Amino acid sequence: MQINGATALVTGANRGLGRRFAQALLDRGAAKVYAGARDPESVDLPGVVPVRLDITDPAQVAAAAALATDVDLLINNAGSSAGAGFLGGDLADIRYDMETHYFGTLSVTRAFAPALAANGGGALVNVLSVLSWTSSPLFPAYSAAKAAQLSLTNGLRLALADQKTLVTALHVGYMDTDLTTHIDAPKSDPLVIANLLLDGVEAGQPEVVADETSRRVRGALSGPLSLLFPDVT
């Protein structure tokens, strides 16, 4: 599909990568960009349409879908990272990450799939992570939630094929946003990542592996497990 003239909705569009998605869409000529956020007053990007949207709230998801019936590009970007560990963390925090990344993404997709079909199929993007393929001791619950979201993405690709909706997965590591200011590691420019993703959508790609870290881990999947977990295998 072409971004120029498209109507898009981006979840979690008030900050970080989501805000850059909204900016890139406008820069590339999108006709309308709905910017979903828990607090729509926090959306400060000129030219977008703020929408109250907590993806874990079924009523807000339904209201957003009823409002934005003209959407032909849905970007599931909203996420969470409670930072819980598997053995000592609060189970509620672990559930929250799963509610956001898996059930929230599924809820939004189910709500907007009829609009995508009615508008010609369009495209669905799920923002995943390099941790969809591996796990980090710093973010174990997040890693598990992203792995579940990857499986969901693959299933949605099959479920939406008949209505000709492109389903694209974005894999990326650390990006230079306010959420990673405390992390000392190489970081990608989120606006560059946003544009790489939109390039992939326009090219009809089912997967965009956007940085070197993700490419390295993606390549290691076909090798021995020790490539991913050298300290424990």
Coordinates of all heavy atoms in Angstrom, one line a residue, residues 60-128:
Q60 N -12.7 1.5 25.5 CA -12.0 2.5 24.7 C -11.6 2.0 23.4 O -11.6 2.7 22.4 CB -10.7 3.0 25.5 CG -11.1 3.8 26.7 CD -9.8 4.4 27.4 OE1 -8.8 4.6 26.7 NE2 -9.9 4.8 28.6
V61 N -11.2 0.7 23.3 CA -10.9 0.1 22.0 C -12.1 0.2 21.1 O -12.0 0.5 19.9 CB -10.4 -1.3 22.2 CG1 -10.3 -2.0 20.8 CG2 -9.1 -1.4 22.9
A62 N -13.3 -0.2 21.6 CA -14.5 -0.2 20.8 C -14.8 1.2 20.3 O -15.3 1.5 19.2 CB -15.6 -0.8 21.6
A63 N -14.7 2.2 21.2 CA -15.0 3.6 20.9 C -14.0 4.1 19.8 O -14.5 4.8 18.9 CB -14.9 4.5 22.1
A64 N -12.8 3.7 19.9 CA -11.8 4.2 18.9 C -12.1 3.6 17.5 O -12.1 4.3 16.5 CB -10.4 3.8 19.3
A65 N -12.5 2.3 17.5 CA -12.9 1.7 16.2 C -14.1 2.3 15.6 O -14.2 2.4 14.4 CB -13.0 0.2 16.4
A66 N -15.1 2.7 16.5 CA -16.3 3.3 16.0 C -16.0 4.7 15.4 O -16.7 5.2 14.5 CB -17.3 3.4 17.1
L67 N -15.0 5.4 16.0 CA -14.7 6.7 15.5 C -13.9 6.6 14.2 O -14.1 7.4 13.3 CB -13.8 7.4 16.6 CG -13.1 8.7 16.2 CD1 -14.2 9.8 16.0 CD2 -12.1 9.1 17.2
A68 N -12.9 5.8 14.1 CA -11.9 5.8 13.0 C -12.2 4.7 12.0 O -11.4 3.8 11.8 CB -10.5 5.6 13.6
T69 N -13.4 4.7 11.4 CA -13.8 3.7 10.5 C -13.1 3.8 9.1 O -13.3 2.9 8.3 CB -15.3 3.8 10.3 OG1 -15.7 5.1 9.8 CG2 -16.1 3.5 11.6
D70 N -12.4 4.9 8.9 CA -11.7 5.1 7.6 C -10.3 4.6 7.6 O -9.6 4.8 6.6 CB -11.8 6.6 7.2 CG -11.3 7.5 8.4 OD1 -11.2 7.1 9.5 OD2 -11.1 8.7 8.1
V71 N -9.9 4.0 8.6 CA -8.5 3.5 8.8 C -8.1 2.4 7.8 O -8.9 1.5 7.6 CB -8.2 3.0 10.2 CG1 -6.9 2.2 10.3 CG2 -8.1 4.2 11.2
D72 N -7.0 2.6 7.0 CA -6.5 1.5 6.2 C -5.1 1.1 6.6 O -4.5 0.2 5.9 CB -6.6 1.8 4.7 CG -5.9 3.1 4.3 OD1 -5.3 3.7 5.1 OD2 -6.1 3.5 3.1
L73 N -4.5 1.7 7.6 CA -3.2 1.3 8.2 C -3.3 1.4 9.7 O -3.5 2.5 10.2 CB -2.1 2.3 7.6 CG -0.7 2.1 8.3 CD1 -0.2 0.7 8.1 CD2 0.2 3.1 7.7
L74 N -3.1 0.3 10.3 CA -3.1 0.2 11.8 C -1.8 -0.2 12.3 O -1.2 -1.2 11.9 CB -4.2 -0.8 12.2 CG -4.2 -1.2 13.7 CD1 -4.6 0.0 14.6 CD2 -5.1 -2.4 14.0
I75 N -1.2 0.7 13.2 CA 0.1 0.4 13.7 C 0.0 0.2 15.2 O -0.3 1.1 16.0 CB 1.1 1.6 13.5 CG1 1.3 1.8 12.0 CG2 2.4 1.3 14.1 CD1 2.2 2.9 11.6
N76 N 0.1 -1.1 15.6 CA 0.0 -1.5 17.0 C 1.4 -1.3 17.7 O 2.3 -2.1 17.6 CB -0.4 -3.0 17.1 CG -1.8 -3.2 16.8 OD1 -2.7 -2.5 17.3 ND2 -2.2 -4.2 16.0
N77 N 1.5 -0.1 18.2 CA 2.8 0.3 18.8 C 2.8 0.4 20.3 O 3.9 0.2 20.9 CB 3.2 1.7 18.3 CG 4.3 2.3 19.0 OD1 5.5 2.0 18.9 ND2 3.9 3.3 19.9
A78 N 1.7 0.6 20.9 CA 1.6 0.8 22.4 C 2.2 -0.4 23.1 O 2.0 -1.6 22.7 CB 0.2 1.0 22.8
G79 N 3.0 -0.2 24.2 CA 3.6 -1.2 24.9 C 3.8 -0.9 26.4 O 3.4 0.2 26.8
S80 N 4.3 -1.8 27.1 CA 4.6 -1.7 28.5 C 5.8 -2.5 28.9 O 6.2 -3.5 28.2 CB 3.4 -2.1 29.4 OG 3.2 -3.5 29.3
S81 N 6.5 -2.2 30.0 CA 7.6 -3.0 30.5 C 7.6 -2.7 32.0 O 8.2 -1.8 32.5 CB 8.9 -2.6 29.9 OG 9.9 -3.5 30.4
A82 N 6.9 -3.6 32.7 CA 6.8 -3.5 34.2 C 8.1 -3.9 34.9 O 8.3 -3.5 36.1 CB 5.7 -4.3 34.7
G83 N 9.0 -4.6 34.2 CA 10.3 -4.9 34.8 C 10.3 -6.0 35.7 O 11.2 -6.2 36.5
A84 N 9.3 -6.8 35.7 CA 9.1 -7.9 36.7 C 10.0 -9.1 36.3 O 10.2 -9.4 35.1 CB 7.7 -8.4 36.8
G85 N 10.5 -9.8 37.3 CA 11.2 -11.0 37.1 C 10.3 -12.2 37.2 O 9.2 -12.1 37.9
F86 N 10.7 -13.4 36.7 CA 9.8 -14.5 36.7 C 9.7 -15.1 38.1 O 8.6 -15.5 38.5 CB 10.3 -15.6 35.8 CG 10.1 -15.3 34.3 CD1 11.0 -15.6 33.3 CD2 8.9 -14.7 33.9 CE1 10.8 -15.4 32.0 CE2 8.7 -14.4 32.6 CZ 9.6 -14.7 31.6
L87 N 10.8 -15.2 38.8 CA 10.7 -15.9 40.1 C 10.4 -15.0 41.3 O 9.9 -15.5 42.3 CB 12.1 -16.6 40.3 CG 12.5 -17.6 39.2 CD1 13.8 -18.3 39.6 CD2 11.4 -18.6 39.1
G88 N 10.7 -13.7 41.2 CA 10.5 -12.8 42.4 C 9.6 -11.7 42.1 O 9.3 -10.9 43.0
G89 N 9.2 -11.5 40.8 CA 8.4 -10.3 40.5 C 6.9 -10.5 40.9 O 6.5 -11.6 41.1
D90 N 6.2 -9.4 40.9 CA 4.8 -9.5 41.1 C 4.1 -10.0 39.9 O 4.3 -9.6 38.8 CB 4.3 -8.0 41.4 CG 2.9 -8.0 41.9 OD1 2.1 -8.9 41.5 OD2 2.5 -7.1 42.7
L91 N 3.3 -11.1 40.2 CA 2.6 -11.7 39.0 C 1.7 -10.7 38.3 O 1.5 -10.9 37.1 CB 1.8 -12.9 39.6 CG 1.2 -13.9 38.5 CD1 2.4 -14.5 37.7 CD2 0.5 -15.0 39.2
A92 N 1.1 -9.8 39.0 CA 0.3 -8.8 38.4 C 1.1 -8.0 37.4 O 0.5 -7.6 36.3 CB -0.3 -7.8 39.4
D93 N 2.3 -7.7 37.6 CA 3.1 -6.9 36.6 C 3.4 -7.8 35.4 O 3.4 -7.3 34.3 CB 4.5 -6.5 37.3 CG 4.3 -5.4 38.3 OD1 3.3 -4.7 38.2 OD2 5.2 -5.3 39.2
I94 N 3.6 -9.1 35.6 CA 3.8 -10.0 34.5 C 2.6 -10.1 33.7 O 2.6 -10.0 32.4 CB 4.3 -11.4 35.0 CG1 5.6 -11.3 35.7 CG2 4.4 -12.4 33.8 CD1 6.1 -12.5 36.4
R95 N 1.4 -10.2 34.3 CA 0.2 -10.2 33.6 C -0.1 -8.9 32.8 O -0.6 -8.9 31.7 CB -1.0 -10.4 34.6 CG -1.1 -11.8 35.2 CD -2.3 -11.9 36.1 NE -2.3 -13.2 36.8 CZ -2.7 -14.3 36.4 NH1 -3.1 -14.4 35.1 NH2 -2.7 -15.4 37.1
Y96 N 0.3 -7.8 33.4 CA 0.1 -6.5 32.7 C 0.9 -6.4 31.4 O 0.3 -6.0 30.4 CB 0.5 -5.4 33.7 CG 0.3 -4.0 33.1 CD1 -1.0 -3.5 32.8 CD2 1.4 -3.2 32.7 CE1 -1.2 -2.3 32.3 CE2 1.2 -2.0 32.1 CZ -0.1 -1.5 31.9 OH -0.3 -0.3 31.3
D97 N 2.1 -6.9 31.4 CA 2.9 -6.9 30.1 C 2.2 -7.8 29.1 O 2.1 -7.4 27.9 CB 4.3 -7.3 30.4 CG 5.2 -6.2 30.9 OD1 4.7 -5.1 30.9 OD2 6.3 -6.5 31.3
M98 N 1.7 -8.9 29.5 CA 1.0 -9.8 28.6 C -0.4 -9.2 28.2 O -0.7 -9.3 27.0 CB 0.7 -11.2 29.2 CG 0.4 -12.3 28.3 SD 1.7 -12.7 27.1 CE 2.8 -13.6 28.1
E99 N -1.1 -8.6 29.1 CA -2.3 -7.9 28.7 C -2.1 -6.8 27.7 O -2.9 -6.7 26.7 CB -3.0 -7.3 29.9 CG -3.6 -8.3 30.9 CD -4.9 -8.8 30.3 OE1 -5.5 -8.2 29.4 OE2 -5.4 -9.9 30.8
T100 N -1.0 -6.1 27.8 CA -0.7 -5.0 26.8 C -0.3 -5.6 25.5 O -0.9 -5.3 24.5 CB 0.4 -4.1 27.4 OG1 0.0 -3.6 28.7 CG2 0.7 -3.0 26.4
H101 N 0.8 -6.4 25.5 CA 1.4 -6.8 24.2 C 0.6 -7.8 23.5 O 0.6 -7.8 22.2 CB 2.9 -7.2 24.4 CG 3.8 -6.1 24.9 ND1 4.3 -5.2 24.1 CD2 4.2 -5.8 26.2 CE1 5.0 -4.3 24.8 NE2 5.0 -4.7 26.1
Y102 N 0.1 -8.8 24.2 CA -0.7 -9.8 23.5 C -2.2 -9.5 23.4 O -2.7 -9.3 22.3 CB -0.5 -11.2 24.3 CG -1.2 -12.3 23.6 CD1 -0.6 -13.0 22.5 CD2 -2.4 -12.8 24.0 CE1 -1.2 -14.0 21.8 CE2 -3.1 -13.8 23.3 CZ -2.4 -14.4 22.2 OH -3.1 -15.4 21.6
F103 N -2.8 -9.4 24.6 CA -4.3 -9.2 24.5 C -4.7 -7.9 24.0 O -5.7 -7.7 23.3 CB -4.9 -9.5 25.9 CG -4.9 -11.0 26.3 CD1 -3.9 -11.4 27.2 CD2 -5.7 -11.9 25.7 CE1 -3.9 -12.8 27.6 CE2 -5.7 -13.2 26.0 CZ -4.8 -13.7 27.0
G104 N -3.9 -6.8 24.4 CA -4.2 -5.5 23.9 C -4.1 -5.4 22.4 O -4.9 -4.9 21.7
T105 N -3.0 -6.0 21.8 CA -2.8 -6.0 20.4 C -3.9 -6.8 19.7 O -4.4 -6.3 18.7 CB -1.4 -6.6 20.0 OG1 -0.4 -5.8 20.6 CG2 -1.2 -6.7 18.5
L106 N -4.3 -7.9 20.3 CA -5.3 -8.7 19.7 C -6.7 -8.0 19.7 O -7.4 -7.9 18.8 CB -5.5 -10.0 20.5 CG -6.6 -10.9 20.0 CD1 -6.5 -11.3 18.6 CD2 -6.6 -12.2 20.9
S107 N -6.9 -7.3 20.8 CA -8.2 -6.6 21.0 C -8.3 -5.4 20.0 O -9.4 -5.3 19.3 CB -8.3 -6.0 22.4 OG -9.4 -5.2 22.6
V108 N -7.2 -4.7 19.8 CA -7.3 -3.6 18.8 C -7.4 -4.1 17.4 O -8.2 -3.6 16.6 CB -6.0 -2.7 18.9 CG1 -5.9 -1.7 17.8 CG2 -6.0 -2.0 20.3
T109 N -6.7 -5.2 17.1 CA -6.8 -5.8 15.8 C -8.1 -6.3 15.5 O -8.7 -6.1 14.4 CB -5.7 -6.9 15.6 OG1 -4.4 -6.4 15.9 CG2 -5.8 -7.5 14.2
R110 N -8.8 -7.0 16.4 CA -10.1 -7.5 16.2 C -11.1 -6.4 15.9 O -12.0 -6.5 15.1 CB -10.6 -8.3 17.4 CG -9.9 -9.7 17.5 CD -10.1 -10.3 18.9 NE -11.5 -10.4 19.3 CZ -12.1 -11.6 19.4 NH1 -11.5 -12.7 19.1 NH2 -13.4 -11.6 19.8
A111 N -10.9 -5.3 16.7 CA -11.8 -4.1 16.5 C -11.7 -3.4 15.2 O -12.7 -3.0 14.6 CB -11.6 -3.1 17.7
F112 N -10.5 -3.4 14.7 CA -10.2 -2.6 13.4 C -10.2 -3.5 12.2 O -10.2 -2.9 11.1 CB -8.9 -1.8 13.5 CG -9.1 -0.5 14.3 CD1 -8.9 -0.5 15.7 CD2 -9.4 0.6 13.6 CE1 -9.0 0.7 16.4 CE2 -9.6 1.8 14.3 CZ -9.4 1.9 15.7
A113 N -10.2 -4.8 12.3 CA -10.1 -5.6 11.1 C -11.3 -5.4 10.1 O -11.0 -5.3 8.9 CB -10.0 -7.1 11.5
P114 N -12.5 -5.2 10.6 CA -13.6 -4.9 9.7 C -13.4 -3.6 8.9 O -13.7 -3.5 7.7 CB -14.8 -4.8 10.6 CG -14.5 -5.6 11.8 CD -13.0 -5.4 12.0
A115 N -12.8 -2.6 9.5 CA -12.5 -1.3 8.8 C -11.4 -1.5 7.8 O -11.5 -1.0 6.6 CB -12.1 -0.2 9.8
L116 N -10.4 -2.3 8.1 CA -9.4 -2.6 7.1 C -9.9 -3.3 5.9 O -9.6 -3.0 4.8 CB -8.2 -3.4 7.8 CG -7.4 -2.7 8.9 CD1 -6.4 -3.7 9.5 CD2 -6.6 -1.5 8.3
A117 N -10.8 -4.3 6.2 CA -11.4 -5.0 5.1 C -12.3 -4.1 4.2 O -12.2 -4.1 3.0 CB -12.2 -6.2 5.6
A118 N -13.1 -3.3 4.9 CA -14.0 -2.4 4.1 C -13.2 -1.4 3.3 O -13.7 -0.9 2.3 CB -14.9 -1.7 5.1
N119 N -12.0 -1.0 3.7 CA -11.2 0.0 3.0 C -10.1 -0.6 2.1 O -9.2 0.0 1.8 CB -10.6 0.9 4.1 CG -11.6 1.7 4.9 OD1 -12.6 2.1 4.3 ND2 -11.4 1.9 6.2
G120 N -10.4 -1.9 1.7 CA -9.5 -2.5 0.7 C -8.5 -3.4 1.2 O -7.6 -3.9 0.4
G121 N -8.4 -3.7 2.5 CA -7.4 -4.6 3.1 C -6.4 -3.8 3.9 O -6.2 -4.1 5.0
G122 N -5.7 -2.9 3.2 CA -4.7 -2.1 3.9 C -3.6 -2.9 4.5 O -3.2 -3.9 4.0
A123 N -3.1 -2.4 5.7 CA -2.0 -3.0 6.3 C -2.1 -2.9 7.8 O -2.7 -1.9 8.4 CB -0.7 -2.4 5.9
L124 N -1.6 -3.9 8.5 CA -1.5 -4.0 10.0 C 0.0 -4.1 10.3 O 0.7 -5.0 9.8 CB -2.3 -5.2 10.5 CG -2.0 -5.6 11.9 CD1 -2.6 -4.6 12.9 CD2 -2.6 -7.0 12.2
V125 N 0.5 -3.3 11.2 CA 1.8 -3.4 11.7 C 1.8 -3.7 13.2 O 1.1 -3.0 14.0 CB 2.6 -2.1 11.5 CG1 4.0 -2.1 12.2 CG2 2.8 -1.8 10.0
N126 N 2.6 -4.7 13.6 CA 2.8 -5.0 15.0 C 4.3 -4.7 15.4 O 5.2 -5.2 14.7 CB 2.5 -6.4 15.4 CG 1.0 -6.7 15.4 OD1 0.2 -5.8 15.5 ND2 0.6 -8.0 15.4
V127 N 4.5 -3.8 16.3 CA 5.8 -3.4 16.7 C 6.3 -4.4 17.7 O 5.8 -4.5 18.9 CB 5.9 -2.0 17.3 CG1 7.3 -1.7 17.9 CG2 5.4 -0.9 16.3
L128 N 7.3 -5.3 17.3 CA 7.8 -6.3 18.1 C 9.1 -5.9 18.7 O 9.3 -4.7 19.1 CB 7.9 -7.6 17.3 CG 6.5 -8.1 16.8 CD1 6.7 -9.3 15.9 CD2 5.5 -8.3 17.9

